[in-house]
Amino acid sequence: MATVYLHIGAPKTATSSLQAMLAAHHDDLLAAGILYPATCRHGDAHHVLVADLIDKYQANPMPDIWYGDFPRGQAWSRLRAELAAAGPTVHTAIVSSELFFGQSINIERMLGDIQAALAGHDVRVLMYLRRQDQLYASFYNQDVKGARQWPGSAYEFYETHQIFQRDYDQVVDMWGAAFGHANLRVRPFEPAQWPGGDMVKDFCQVTGLPPLRAVGAEPNDGLGANQLYIKRCLNHMGYDKADNDRVVGLLLNLCKESPLKSVRYVNMGCYGRLRERWTRTNQRLGAVVGDGGNFFQAPVPEPAAVPEYALDRALLGDFLQRLLAAGLGGHLGSLRGLFARAALLVIAEQGLWDAVSGSDRVTFESWV
């Protein structure tokens, strides 16, 4: 039976690009005896496999946007059927979803279901780990920007999101206990540790794939500081997840700003405590799956070396004026009320009473 590689993430480690590449090369890979299953995918990734486990073992089922037209509850049976139908010519299968990595609630039972579904196959688990400060900053930004529509602070995000409930070494131990530590492939998301600085080469070498070329995936840049704040205000208002791409596209047109790179969303004391914890974790991780040193070559930077998250009041004022002009010009469509409510929240929270006149505030109110 085929060896199955479970590529479980972590999030923000180019998973979407790898999934797009594997889906685009499906036929070529199959001709080489490598299956990237197609019948249990919605889009390029195998998120529906994890979504079905979440539906089964966690209180809040995944929104329909994760499924599209895919029927709930059928992902694992479809995977088993596709693996069985592939026959002896297929020696390797790759299943990829970063949602695997982020689960902690009832994860032991989830792992039991995965073991049962893949019984008879050699299973190898591949995870790429991004340095924790980078993951925290990038993932928070993405959850505010994306369809999850996170409305809260970075403090709340870290304390409540499942992905931060276990340290990296604990995640490694958990998956190793389920599938054997010898079957784990744990790689740093750090170009200095990839062959030629190329992650695709690293992925192909680890999984035994023939050399592949990356394909043009949609860019997944984060938001700028002020865009992020405005999107949080929009998320506070609440709207259909299916409209999220439209909302983001309109926001990017109304507020021009470069994406955030290195940033510290929390105060120096909180970051310092997190840094100590992450540093200890990386030392333990290096001892377990590395060469005995730190898992990452570059250390987590000191708090003072990371720019603090800050807003630009002038840019927020410019956004309000652009929004007003767009609304008066009929360019906001069905999203006018949503953006007007968010604009009033921006004005109130940031004290931008001088950025728009009283009559303009009345105009925003009339759109609500």
Side-chain angles (χ1 to χ4, degrees), residues 197-212:
D198 187 331
M199 186 182 185
V200 171
K201 286 185 179 179
D202 192 85
F203 183 87
C204 291
Q205 285 187 11
V206 172
T207 55
L209 269 62
L212 297 175

Side-chain angles (χ1 to χ4, degrees), residues 133 262-265 268 271 300-309:
D133 59 304
S262 178
V263 65
R264 175 170 49 79
Y265 288 112
M268 292 182 69
Y271 178 92
V300 179
E302 296 276 356
V306 186
E308 184 177 10
Y309 176 69

